[in-house]
Every structure is written in structure tokens, then in C-alpha cells.
Amino acid sequence: MERLTTPPSTTKPYTLPSFSGELWTIPTSNSVMRLLVTGKETANAFAVVSTGGTYDKPIGFHYHREAHDVFLCLKGTMNVWADDQARELGEGDFASVPPTTIHQYQITSSHTEFIGLIIPGGWEEFFRFIGEPYSGPLFPTTDKRNPFEVLVPKLIAATEKFDMIPAREKPHYDPQPWSPTDSTLPGHCSRGGYFLRSGTGTKYLVPSTGTVIRPLATRAETDSKFSVYEVHASSLYNITDPSKSTFPALKFTSTHHAIYVIDGTFTLTVNGETTLATGGETVFVPAGAEWMFSAQSRYARCYVFANGGGVGEVMTRVGREWSEPGVQPEVGWWGGDAEGED
């Protein structure tokens, strides 16, 4: 599988190293957007964008008529507002912001990293339109230019060109404490979206593999448009037979997958080509590819983004509910075939 530093602009499997991607910064901000998967790879099915930055002001309330945003905090802290609710997100916390929801975010720590899925793909052209290419190591911190000269004119033009409608009349308010309802998925998609605390919600154990999967967003919460799952796995379940995988090889006709590794190392085999992906790395698996993945380290964790239910939905369907943290402590096997469903 080809190892790149930016998305290839064509629909094919690829791997991106940590902190790489197509890099853009919004003038006068203290952050960088890394385009990991764009509409050009997915025929505008979705895009995946990671952001890294340091303390900054809120970006400003706005909404989208069609685009659905998600915010998954990977490091540090950030505030996310969605209509009349707001939370401070830490590592592993998640926010889903459906179309027409008035929202904004703010980076609130010395080094914050978060990743998001944008549905539909193509909206990431907004970042190219208002942004500037970035070539530094992490993110900018010294851009003191006048925003009314270098940013505001672009934003005004962008409102006419993109699905980005300012909501300047929305009054500012402070984030509220986390609620007990932030520990379960709502089971439906509605304006205002929802927040989900790290590690909460229903988890599923895939029998005998030790693999645990946790939905952050299913098709029920996204009007069947996409899904986000967290996967915990271990190489200890591969010791007795290295040919076994965390899950059998699958092929999805119209569902693309983006795998973002958090901890450890995963082995991914796509159309017969095998690659290793470690923390911070991204693997894109296009629709129509036959693929499988397994943990290569004693413990490994990743997030899986898909336009549709994808592999996450298949794994929860064959799994059983699991309440313990991490992976199953006993080594065992689960065998058999499975077919992917888009």
C-alpha cells in the first residue's frame, strides 16, 4: 500500500504518517487543519480532517444547511457549542453537530488535537478557500496580522460560495457541566446533536477475538449517512495462528473507511497488500476493496470512520454487550466468514 504525505486526489488505498496530510491554517489563528481524506478520494462521500492548535478564541457561531460535523478530541481540551448546549471536551470526548445546528468550537489548552468527519465531502474546500498552506512542524502561534485585512474578506466571500452561514446574533454562553444523558447515544438524528463522554455508551465484544468496539455515532444518529466507531484489540489473540485477524476479510460495495490509529500498531491488508499503522497514522480503504485488520501490538486502539455502517456495524452485530474496560482478558478465537453491508 502506498505511503504518502498528502491525500492522492484519487480513489485508492493509502497510508498517511502522523501529523501529515494536506496542511492549511486559517489566517490569524493558532491552529492547523490537516486534510487526511478529502472528497476527491471518496467521490464527495465524506472528508476526514484533523486539527492541532493552542489556546485561541472561539471561531464564531455558524451553521450548515447540509454538512454534518463531528468533533472527537484526541489531546488537550476544547469547547464545543451546539445550539443551546456546550461542553468542554477532553481526550476521547465526542460531539455530533447535525445540519442547521448553530455551533462553534474553541481550543482551550496548550496543545489540543481533534479529528472530525465532514459529510458530505467537498466542504473541506472551504479551508482551501480561506486558508493558507502551512509548512511548519506543528501549528502557527505568531500570526498577529489584522484579521479585517487577511481573514474577514475571505469569510464574507465564503458565505456566498460555501455552506457556511454565520450566526452573529447568537449570544455567547459558557459551557455547561456534563449531563447523565451524555453517556448514551440518542438513537436518532435531530437538530442540536449530542455529546458523548469518553468511554461511555454501549460497548460490544466480538466473540473469542478479545476485540471491543464502541459506537460514537451509528447510522441511527446520522440519518444513515455515516458512522464512527472506537476499536480496542490485542495481538495476543493472534499468537496461536498468525493468519487469524481481528475480523475476517470484508468487502463493502459503496462504503469507504478511514482508520485513525491512537495506540499501538495495527496490520491492515487491503487487496492483498499489507501495511502497518501506528499511533497518529491514517489508513484509507476505498469502497470495493477487500480488507482485513488486526492488532500487531499487545494493545492497540483506533477510530474507524465510514459513510454508512461499515465494519463497525458488522462487528457490533456479531458482538455481545461488554461492560469492562479495554479488551477481553482471556485469549480465544472467533472464526467464520462475514459479509460487509453498506
Side-chain angles (χ1 to χ4, degrees), residues 77-80 86-90 93 108 175-176 178 195 197:
T77 59
M78 62 185 297
N79 293 333
V80 175
R87 302 287 186 271
E88 181 183 61
L89 275 58
D93 293 333
T108 58
Q176 302 107 340
W178 286 84
F195 297 92
R197 295 221 71 168

Side-chain angles (χ1 to χ4, degrees), residues 265-286:
T265 304
F266 282 90
T267 298
L268 292 99
T269 301
V270 183
N271 292 334
E273 296 186 14
T274 299
T275 190
L276 294 179
T278 61
E281 297 190 331
T282 303
V283 180
F284 176 68
V285 181

Side-chain angles (χ1 to χ4, degrees), residues 103-186:
H103 64 284
Q104 66 174 357
Y105 71 84
Q106 177 187 18
I107 292 175
T108 58
S109 67
S110 60
H111 183 186
T112 294
E113 294 284 340
F114 65 94
I115 191 168
L117 184 76
I118 301 173
I119 294 282
W123 194 89
E124 71 279 2
E125 290 293 335
F126 171 81
F127 298 126
R128 296 186 177 114
F129 184 81
I130 71 166
E132 299 172 348
Y134 182 70
S135 58
L138 197 56
F139 45 74
T141 60
T142 59
D143 188 353
K144 306 303 181 185
R145 292 175 293 172
N146 186 342
F148 290 96
E149 295 178 355
V150 297
L151 178 59
V152 172
K154 290 183 177 181
L155 289 174
I156 294 173
T159 60
E160 301 176 0
K161 187 177 178 67
F162 297 94
D163 180 18
M164 170 77 167
I165 301 94
R168 300 183 183 92
E169 74 287 350
K170 179 78 171 176
H172 178 81
Y173 61 96
D174 292 333
Q176 302 107 340
W178 286 84
S179 164
T181 60
D182 298 332
S183 296
T184 57
L185 292 178

Side-chain angles (χ1 to χ4, degrees), residues 17 24 29 47-48 50 55 68 75 77 200 235 241 252 261 277 292 310 329:
W24 295 87
S29 76
V48 179
S50 72
Y55 301 102
H68 192 143
K75 177 185 176 70
T77 59
T200 65
S235 64
D241 184 350
F252 297 83
V261 180
M292 60 197 302

Side-chain angles (χ1 to χ4, degrees), residues 1 4 26 28 32 61 100 108 124 130 134-135 161 169 177 181-182 200 216 229 238 244 254 280 304:
M1 186 187 306
L4 307 173
I26 297 176
T28 75
V32 63
F61 284 114
T100 73
T108 58
E124 71 279 2
I130 71 166
Y134 182 70
S135 58
K161 187 177 178 67
E169 74 287 350
T181 60
D182 298 332
T200 65
L216 282 69
Y229 289 85
N238 304 341
K244 296 290 186 180
S254 57
V304 180

